[in-house]
Amino acid sequence: MIQQQLIASPVTATVDFAAQGVHHGFLRLPYSRDDAAWGSVMIPLTVVSNGEGPTVLLTGANHGDEYEGPIALFDLAATIRAEEVTGRIIIVPAMNYPAFMAGTRTSPIDRGNMNRSFPGRPDGTVTQKIADYFQRVLLPMSDVVLDFHSGGKTLDFLPYCAAHVLADKRQEAQAFDLVRAFGAPYSCRMLEIDAVGMYDTAAEEMGKVFVTTELGGGGTASARTAGIAIRGCRNLLVAAGALKGAVEPQPTQWLDMPDDDCFTFSEDAGLIRFCADLGDRVEKGQTVAMIYPTSRTGHAPVAVAARRSGLLTARHFPGLVKPGDCVAVVADEVDG
Ligand SMILES: [Zn+2]
């Protein structure tokens, strides 16, 4: 581990992070392969700096099949003017660029799940090398981090912005102030079911103010969720003090995911029929879905029950389900 820290990142930025103005470029990661002996992975990057202020790091496509983040960030990079900025905004629309270009959650190069790859390795796989660059270069230079997620091809979410309940209450309060400013239709106090290796955890452990989203899913973005992402990103930048202007306040319903009972997993394979839709109120024990065995006719479906009462906040997206898949997430409606 000590040895590893001495190895410089193989990633180089083609823009100067200290330069004033708007600069478009790349994070270039050497990647030698059959079709390019001295080839590289070229991750698009925009850095906008103007005078004094915080540094905000914006990332999309941490998972490659989630699209609201890339839409909001390619849009922002194409439209932002330096004179609007107070401080520095670092925009990486597609953090796991190989996964984004393949339209898959994980990287086609090494199957790396970016959000399970932190702190990364400078001498590891492509995904680990990207994670290491964020861990040792981009996160340390940032004050605020917004990482966009959606459900991808296998989940669908009520559109929410979220932060984590943290031991450091000041850091937690700063994050929830930005969640409020983002102004998604739903705002969530999030519990992670599998926090090891996450970008979220890496940023929070460094004391950074970390905000994330789940804005839809199914492997696409709607007009509504793209609009939420674009407006929310600008609102967050204004509230963080990195962009001039005023926050456009939006109504939001706060949600809480206090424990593991929020999550329901399938024990069966089959054809899934939902009995409640996203945003519906469900009661503990209520059937949220039925799973029909597909190997033969004449068998009754297996009922999947909500483990707590609340709003159906996320659901399995594809029509077929496997044992172990997350079927439903039920969150409490709470006051902000
Ligand atoms: Zn994701």
Side-chain angles (χ1 to χ4, degrees):
M1 197 65 194
I2 292 163
Q3 196 65 32
Q4 219 188 91
Q5 293 301 314
L6 298 174
I7 301 172
S9 171
V11 175
T12 50
T14 67
V15 299
D16 178 358
F17 289 104
Q20 297 289 298
V22 179
H23 300 277
H24 304 291
F26 300 91
L27 300 174
R28 191 180 69 81
L29 168 59
Y31 171 44
S32 179
R33 56 196 192 270
D34 287 343
D35 67 331
W38 287 6
S40 305
V41 174
M42 301 290 275
I43 304 170
L45 164 78
T46 294
V47 182
V48 190
S49 297
N50 187 38
E52 293 300 309
T55 294
V56 181
L57 175 59
L58 304 172
T59 47
N62 177 322
H63 295 124
D65 61 350
E66 303 173 3
Y67 295 100
E68 284 82 358
I71 289 168
L73 298 183
F74 276 113
D75 182 76
L76 181 69
T79 55
I80 196 164
R81 292 173 293 115
E83 55 271 28
E84 296 178 276
V85 172
T86 49
R88 180 168 56 178
I89 302 173
I90 301 170
I91 306 168
V92 185
M95 185 180 185
N96 195 342
Y97 192 68
F100 173 69
M101 290 308 292
T104 51
R105 180 173 180 82
T106 62
S107 174
I109 298 170
D110 55 21
R111 306 312 325 170
N113 178 342
M114 185 63 74
N115 225 22
R116 300 293 182 277
S117 297
F118 279 81
R121 292 180 66 97
D123 57 352
T125 66
V126 164
T127 306
Q128 289 170 332
K129 286 171 177 171
I130 298 169
D132 171 70
Y133 186 80
F134 275 81
Q135 175 81 27
R136 291 196 293 152
V137 179
L138 295 181
L139 284 177
M141 67 170 75
S142 303
D143 302 297
V144 172
V145 182
L146 169 60
D147 185 37
F148 281 97
H149 288 259
S150 302
K153 288 175 176 167
T154 64
L155 290 171
D156 196 14
F157 281 86
L158 284 180
Y160 68 74
C161 185
H164 293 114
V165 173
L166 300 173
D168 183 335
K169 292 302 166 191
R170 188 168 155 272
Q171 185 185 7
E172 178 190 297
Q174 288 175 327
F176 282 114
D177 283 348
L178 295 181
V179 170
R180 194 171 289 107
F182 187 100
Y186 297 88
S187 299
C188 189
R189 298 174 186 283
M190 222 160 54
L191 173 77
E192 286 303 336
I193 53 175
D194 182 16
V196 176
M198 290 180 70
Y199 180 49
D200 315 41
T201 311
E204 287 161 354
E205 283 178 351
M206 276 183 222
K208 309 304 179 183
V209 177
F210 185 88
V211 173
T212 187
T213 69
E214 296 288 358
L215 291 177
T220 189
S222 67
R224 177 173 178 248
T225 56
I228 292 165
I230 289 169
R231 186 188 58 221
C233 185
R234 283 200 168 261
N235 275 345
L236 179 137
L237 288 168
V238 171
L243 195 67
K244 293 172 187 168
V247 172
E248 279 184 62
Q250 303 292 324
T252 192
Q253 169 64 54
W254 284 83
L255 301 172
D256 191 12
M257 292 183 195
D259 58 45
D260 285 348
D261 282 348
C262 296
F263 304 92
T264 305
F265 297 91
S266 178
E267 295 180 359
D268 297 272
L271 170 67
I272 191 161
R273 169 191 168 191
F274 274 90
C275 305
D277 286 318
L278 289 181
D280 286 352
R281 164 129 197 123
V282 299
E283 302 302 324
K284 183 177 180 179
Q286 181 182 331
T287 298
V288 290
M290 291 194 284
I291 300 173
Y292 293 82
T294 51
S295 58
R296 62 181 66 237
T297 54
H299 281 239
V302 176
V304 179
R307 296 168 65 200
R308 64 182 304 120
S309 299
L311 279 198
L312 185 61
T313 299
R315 52 155 280 186
H316 182 78
F317 188 78
L320 298 179
V321 67
K322 303 180 295 302
D325 288 358
C326 183
V327 169
V329 181
V330 175
D332 287 343
E333 294 169 276
V334 293
D335 294 332

